[in-house]
Amino acid sequence: LPILKQQTITAHIAELRRQMKKVLKTERFDHTLGVAYTAASLAFLYDVDLDQALTAGMLHDCAKYVEHKVETCKKFHIPVTEAEEKEPSLLHAKLGAYLAEHQYHVQDPEVLNAIRYHTTGHPNMTLLEKIIFVADYIEPNRKMLPHLSEIRKMAYRDLNEAIVHILQDTLAYLDQSSKIKDPETQRTLQYYLSVQSN
């Protein structure tokens, strides 16, 4: 039975991989593979379901190249915030969760939420959500960001600590580049700072 389950997982993930190769640019596809396999390694460590981690990792950016994201979200009755109206690229996560469910037939709400929150995080994330959020930042194809090597080590020691540092660096980068910040990112940071101080 375990062997059959593993074959099923492999076939399922291989199919998602084929589909992502069709819809993503080469660099984004490489990033997606990096996220999926980084998520798998973190799933081994933190005892999270491997299929969930690989599925969420493979699909986390499936909406990256959807055109007219604001209009598409409105068409599918996906709420759009003021920040997302101004910076439509922020919508790829929640639109990705919608496509994962309706186009790629993912029914698992944990996987869908891991995709939905992989850019901002949210207070009190599940282990799977934390893993996809962190894997997206630390995967091997990421260009070298400040503190990245330390955060990579941290992720295998304490996910909450890694999340705090990722959020702090992300917000600092957005400040420096005058890019729109999603308020959920700030809320998530405040939550995990309070978790650390308790």
Side-chain angles (χ1 to χ4, degrees):
L1 187 61
I3 293 169
L4 285 174
K5 185 171 191 297
Q6 190 56 51
Q7 286 174 340
T8 306
I9 287 172
T10 304
H12 161 64
I13 297 304
E15 179 55 30
L16 289 181
R17 179 183 170 135
R18 275 192 292 275
Q19 292 186 50
M20 289 306 98
K21 192 163 190 180
K22 287 182 200 166
V23 299
L24 299 175
K25 294 176 183 172
T26 303
E27 192 177 325
R28 183 61 49 178
F29 179 67
D30 290 344
H31 163 72
T32 291
L33 295 184
V35 172
Y37 295 122
T38 302
S41 73
L42 290 167
F44 286 139
L45 178 62
Y46 292 107
D47 199 22
V48 165
D49 184 88
L50 180 62
D51 186 48
Q52 286 183 316
L54 283 168
T55 301
M58 282 291 177
L59 290 174
H60 81 285
D61 272 352
C62 66
K64 196 75 178 179
Y65 299 115
V66 171
E67 292 183 352
H68 314 299
K69 289 182 179 66
V70 173
E71 294 83 353
T72 304
C73 283
K74 288 178 177 175
K75 179 174 129 187
F76 295 135
H77 309 291
I78 301 166
V80 178
T81 66
E82 191 180 333
E84 290 162 346
E85 285 264 14
K86 291 179 186 164
E87 187 58 66
S89 64
L90 294 171
L91 285 166
H92 82 274
K94 58 169 75 166
L95 186 53
Y98 180 91
L99 292 182
E101 181 177 4
H102 296 278
Q103 191 169 321
Y104 300 105
H105 315 296
V106 174
Q107 301 303 313
D108 185 338
E110 286 189 56
V111 172
L112 296 174
N113 278 333
I115 296 167
R116 184 175 288 112
Y117 295 111
H118 81 267
T119 55
T120 61
H122 69 90
N124 199 23
M125 286 188 275
T126 65
L127 258 180
L128 179 64
E129 288 167 354
K130 290 177 185 179
I131 282 172
I132 299 304
F133 177 83
V134 170
D136 185 40
Y137 196 86
I138 69 168
E139 64 92 8
N141 299 296
R142 272 279 180 214
K143 65 179 185 187
M144 193 45 74
L145 301 160
H147 315 123
L148 183 55
S149 56
E150 300 99 294
I151 292 170
R152 281 175 171 154
K153 294 185 192 87
M154 222 177 271
Y156 290 87
R157 190 175 66 235
D158 184 335
L159 275 175
N160 287 351
E161 190 183 357
I163 287 165
V164 165
H165 283 79
I166 289 168
L167 289 164
Q168 286 173 330
D169 284 1
T170 299
L171 288 165
Y173 164 76
L174 292 171
D175 276 337
Q176 286 165 5
S177 56
S178 303
K179 290 194 173 179
I180 300 281
K181 287 183 284 192
D182 191 310
E184 190 71 8
T185 308
Q186 189 66 54
R187 281 193 289 273
T188 307
L189 176 58
Q190 292 312 314
Y191 175 85
Y192 282 99
L193 283 171
S194 72
V195 166
Q196 275 198 321
S197 62
N198 288 337

